[in-house]
Amino acid sequence: MSENLDKILKLENKLASFMEDGIDTTDTKCEKVVLQIERLLDKISNHELLYLLDESDCISQVIDITAYFKKYKLNKKKIKENNTFMEEFKKLTSFVEEAREKAICEEEYLYICYKCDVDSAAAFLLSNMPNEDIMKLANQSDDWNYKLFLFENLKDKK
């Protein structure tokens, strides 16, 4: 857990106690706490935002956490140098699955994917991945829709 996430959780406790005491969220005390949380939300990772989306009660009532998701980061140069396209694709898939689990509805899940631009990250990884690796990924899944998605990314042998 990062230092910023830890600070957010402490501020959430403060916000929760204000709300339990019947203090309105538009009160200046609450607004100051909310502003501090908003500044910190800009500084935490997408994985930490997913954690908050799932674990926080008070913050979600006053702040749209999904607005703070950032573009999914890929170090394209390092991935190319180390030829780690498949490993990075698995990490991306894991992130997308976690977003699906933690989102409260399909629309929120799709919005998170849009904000993180996961389609572009997947397209980059799959376009650079050899057919053999794409076939390995497809064979590891029982989901035919996922298999078809992967098969669409196979390259023609010339």
Side-chain angles (χ1 to χ4, degrees):
M1 178 182 312
S2 73
E3 185 180 322
N4 288 326
L5 180 57
D6 190 46
K7 288 178 185 177
I8 290 170
L9 294 173
K10 287 176 183 169
L11 288 167
E12 180 184 32
N13 289 335
K14 194 173 188 178
L15 185 62
S17 67
F18 286 154
M19 293 169 97
E20 286 171 6
D21 292 344
I23 297 174
D24 190 86
T25 55
T26 59
D27 184 271
T28 55
K29 287 186 221 176
C30 284
E31 284 184 350
K32 285 179 183 178
V33 172
V34 169
L35 286 172
Q36 288 175 306
I37 293 171
E38 286 177 333
R39 276 189 234 109
L40 291 168
L41 286 172
D42 274 332
K43 298 176 183 179
I44 63 174
S45 72
N46 286 340
H47 285 286
E48 291 172 322
L49 287 166
L50 285 176
Y51 173 82
L52 279 178
L53 200 60
D54 191 42
E55 296 296 324
S56 101
D57 292 323
C58 293
I59 295 174
S60 298
Q61 292 177 30
V62 292
I63 299 173
D64 178 12
I65 295 172
T66 62
Y68 292 89
F69 279 89
K70 300 140 195 84
K71 185 175 178 174
Y72 189 89
K73 290 186 179 166
L74 292 174
N75 186 338
K76 293 179 180 181
K77 184 179 176 185
K78 185 177 176 184
I79 294 168
K80 284 181 181 179
E81 286 173 3
N82 298 327
N83 194 24
T84 55
F85 297 102
M86 184 155 64
E87 293 80 6
E88 289 299 324
F89 186 78
K90 286 180 179 181
K91 287 179 189 174
L92 175 66
T93 303
S94 176
F95 172 77
V96 169
E97 288 171 3
E98 185 180 359
R100 179 170 290 240
E101 288 172 15
K102 302 216 172 157
I104 57 171
C105 62
E106 184 71 10
E107 289 78 18
E108 185 175 70
Y109 159 71
L110 292 172
Y111 183 68
I112 292 168
C113 289
Y114 168 77
K115 286 282 292 185
C116 296
D117 197 18
V118 295
D119 289 343
S120 293
F124 167 77
L125 295 168
L126 289 168
S127 68
N128 286 285
M129 197 181 298
N131 284 346
E132 294 77 21
D133 287 351
I134 294 173
M135 290 302 296
K136 283 180 191 173
L137 287 171
N139 288 332
Q140 292 171 358
S141 175
D142 293 331
D143 181 349
W144 275 99
N145 288 325
Y146 182 64
K147 286 179 186 274
L148 291 173
F149 163 72
L150 291 171
F151 292 155
E152 290 173 357
N153 291 280
L154 291 172
K155 291 118 191 120
D156 292 333
K157 297 278 185 181
K158 295 179 183 173

